[in-house]
Amino acid sequence: MPTTQPRRASGTRGERFAVLDPATGETFAEAPDQRPDELDAVVGRAHAAWRGWRSDPAVRATALQAAADAVEAAGADIAPLLTREQGKPLAESYAEIARTAARLRYFAELAPGPGPQPISDGRPVRGEIRWRPLGPVAAIVPWNFPLQLASAKVAPALAAGNTVILKPSPHTPLATRLLASVVSTALPEDVLTVVTGHEPLGARLASHPGIRHVTFTGSIPTGRAVAGGAAASLGRVTLELGGNDAAILLEDVDVERIADRLFWAAFRNCGQVCMAVKRVYAPARLHSDVVEALARRAKSVVVGPGLDPGTQLGPVNNAPQLARVERYTARALADGARAVTGGHRLDRPGYFYAPTILADVPPDSPVVTEEQFGPVLPVLPYGSVDEAVEAANDTGFGLGGSVWGTDLDRAEAVADRLECGTAWINHHAELSLAQPFAGIKESGVGVAGGPWGLYGNLRPFVVHRPEPACRTEPGSGA
């Protein structure tokens, strides 16, 4: 996903920076602009707290359950702040908070972690794998789902016995700081710390020699830089770097029946979802029906400030991202695409862009080949399923994809041909807390979610000992 920087508040460089309301484009609050040289002390405190936190899984489980309760109780305080700085409708902010609490509970139940695992290899030696936490973890999160993605990194790391230093995007620091303060009421001091500020704060955190795991969600270029920084100390990295998910509609699809689901799979959170539908491939015979069904919904959706009760779609989060959406759409239109609806910025304060459905789009247009990350959806016709699958896979991304049709077995067979981490049938971007989440190609490295997310924050420790009444020569069996 794209990464952008907000402006610093005038006269406060190095101390505070401005946080903007995307519904107005104006400053409504400030956040601490911490310096990279502060990180040595922060990481040092995280190391000291780790010694106690790692020792008792039962204490960790109880603490995470209490943290989930605290998050739910604070929802009425957190949700409006999240909407104010991120832009999403208030109902979506409450849903994000609910998901955050649910994830804390899920990993609380896993917190005792995997028990010792015997190694059976036929030798008269008892081998056993035990799992140990890594140490301080750096969690660097973007602005589209700041709380949900923070919890996706923080919950498994804490459950595994690590301490966490959390860095939110400068566009959305406030709700994350509030969330962390709420969660920390259930935790020992310095087990969870938030740092906020501009670069090079994140780069320094990722490359800090005291950090043992860096988990990052953001753009591909920044992800490469994070991996390079962590390599200096041979720290582990988990990278979720966005997607360009394709939806393939088959010949037997019921267009009207799936149109609502398909529309919101592309436009939820104003299209600012890493695993949103970003390209639709429709059979040539049905292409105009699909375009019109989606366009009707785009024309009728209520766009406005997230705090307004009737709003269904909020603004783009920030000015640089709005410019990216405008640039990609203008390029497509200049190359012959047709805006069936939308295709322009809305004439009002804030970062509002009209929900846009594009037809007649050249397949090599950046709005098709890149991650536009906004309320713009190209719909492309295809002649054969093989052609559609080839087009869907012809990308450097590999996060998710979906297939839509009436014959579920056939749809699943097509989905099995998609080159991505997750494929859905007749829906898109719905995840269970218990499943692995991973991309392929340039969409990421490592696995999050479920027990895999827990193991990603642990390392194996192997103990060998002779069986009773057995003797082995030193170094034998090597």
Side-chain angles (χ1 to χ4, degrees):
M1 60 169 287
T3 299
T4 54
Q5 294 285 347
R7 64 174 183 255
R8 280 186 168 86
S10 176
T12 58
R13 184 178 180 88
E15 298 177 357
R16 311 282 295 180
F17 64 89
V19 182
L20 307 186
D21 181 342
T24 65
E26 300 297 327
T27 299
F28 79 97
E30 294 181 345
D33 198 0
Q34 293 175 260
R35 300 185 305 274
D37 59 15
E38 297 178 50
L39 290 175
D40 288 343
V42 172
V43 175
R45 291 194 296 270
H47 264 285
W50 178 51
R51 297 187 185 101
W53 180 247
R54 66 185 176 182
S55 63
D56 194 332
V59 167
R60 296 199 298 270
T62 300
L64 289 175
Q65 291 282 10
D69 292 340
V71 169
E72 287 180 335
D77 296 321
I78 301 172
L81 187 58
L82 175 58
T83 288
R84 192 80 188 276
E85 65 179 352
Q86 202 284 331
K88 65 184 60 182
L90 192 58
E92 292 187 22
S93 290
Y94 276 108
E96 186 167 344
I97 292 165
R99 184 77 166 182
T100 296
R103 186 172 272 111
L104 287 166
R105 284 207 172 85
Y106 174 82
F107 282 102
E109 294 175 1
L110 293 184
Q117 299 171 346
I119 301 171
S120 300
D121 58 8
R123 297 186 304 155
V125 175
R126 188 176 75 194
E128 189 174 80
I129 304 171
R130 303 170 186 175
W131 294 91
R132 291 184 167 180
L134 303 173
V137 172
I140 304 175
V141 300
W143 43 260
N144 59 332
F145 288 94
L147 306 188
Q148 191 165 310
L149 290 171
S151 68
K153 302 174 187 308
V154 168
L158 293 179
N162 304 295
T163 53
V164 178
I165 300 168
L166 171 63
K167 183 192 176 297
S169 164
H171 292 293
T172 52
L174 303 176
T176 305
R177 284 171 56 84
L178 180 55
L179 173 72
S181 69
V182 169
V183 170
S184 292
T185 61
L187 306 176
E189 188 175 8
D190 296 322
V191 167
L192 173 62
T193 306
V194 176
V195 295
T196 59
H198 294 83
E199 290 305 320
L201 183 66
R204 173 58 178 155
L205 179 61
S207 63
H208 197 285
I211 295 295
R212 303 314 309 150
H213 179 201
V214 182
T215 172
F216 167 83
T217 299
S219 70
I220 291 172
T222 306
R224 289 195 175 105
V226 165
S233 59
L234 299 180
R236 185 180 298 183
V237 294
T238 302
L239 307 175
E240 195 267 275
L241 305 180
N244 189 12
D245 290 15
I248 298 176
L249 278 55
L250 300 181
E251 281 279 355
D252 65 348
V253 71
D254 185 332
V255 174
E256 281 302 320
R257 186 174 182 181
I258 60 96
D260 279 338
R261 272 174 285 153
L262 181 59
F263 177 84
W264 287 110
F267 285 88
R268 183 171 67 97
N269 198 28
C270 205
Q272 299 166 130
V273 183
C274 293
M275 53 184 174
V277 170
K278 298 187 176 74
R279 305 171 281 155
V280 173
Y281 293 95
R285 180 180 64 85
L286 298 176
H287 179 261
S288 62
D289 293 341
V290 174
V291 167
E292 289 304 318
L294 293 172
R296 285 197 303 273
R297 286 154 178 83
K299 291 174 183 176
S300 65
V301 70
V302 179
V303 180
L307 292 176
D308 287 359
T311 291
Q312 295 174 287
L313 207 65
V316 175
N317 174 256
N318 56 78
Q321 184 56 33
L322 176 62
R324 177 188 179 98
V325 172
E326 289 182 294
R327 185 171 65 253
Y328 279 12
T329 306
R331 168 71 181 274
L333 296 174
D335 289 343
R338 173 170 54 96
V340 182
T341 187
H344 56 85
R345 182 173 179 170
L346 294 179
D347 185 16
R348 63 177 75 170
Y351 307 134
F352 291 97
Y353 198 84
T356 299
I357 303 297
L358 296 176
D360 305 329
V361 187
D364 59 351
S365 175
V367 80
V368 176
T369 61
E370 301 295 330
E371 184 182 30
Q372 69 270 31
F373 218 68
V376 177
L377 182 63
V379 183
L380 299 96
Y382 69 82
S384 69
V385 171
D386 288 345
E387 175 188 327
V389 171
E390 182 178 357
N393 290 338
D394 186 20
T395 175
F397 295 95
L399 195 59
S402 56
V403 180
W404 305 68
T406 302
D407 184 335
L408 298 184
D409 290 337
R410 181 166 181 260
E412 184 174 348
V414 175
D416 195 50
R417 298 168 61 188
L418 296 179
E419 296 173 357
C420 57
T422 305
W424 294 271
I425 311 298
N426 288 341
H427 63 128
H428 196 105
E430 297 178 24
L431 296 175
S432 162
L433 295 174
Q435 77 177 70
F437 180 65
I440 65 170
K441 297 188 276 190
E442 292 185 321
S443 281
V445 174
V447 182
W452 301 268
L454 187 70
Y455 274 96
N457 287 280
L458 295 165
R459 64 176 178 86
F461 174 69
V462 180
V463 175
H464 287 272
R465 59 174 288 178
E467 292 286 9
C470 291
R471 297 179 61 188
T472 58
E473 296 297 324
S476 65

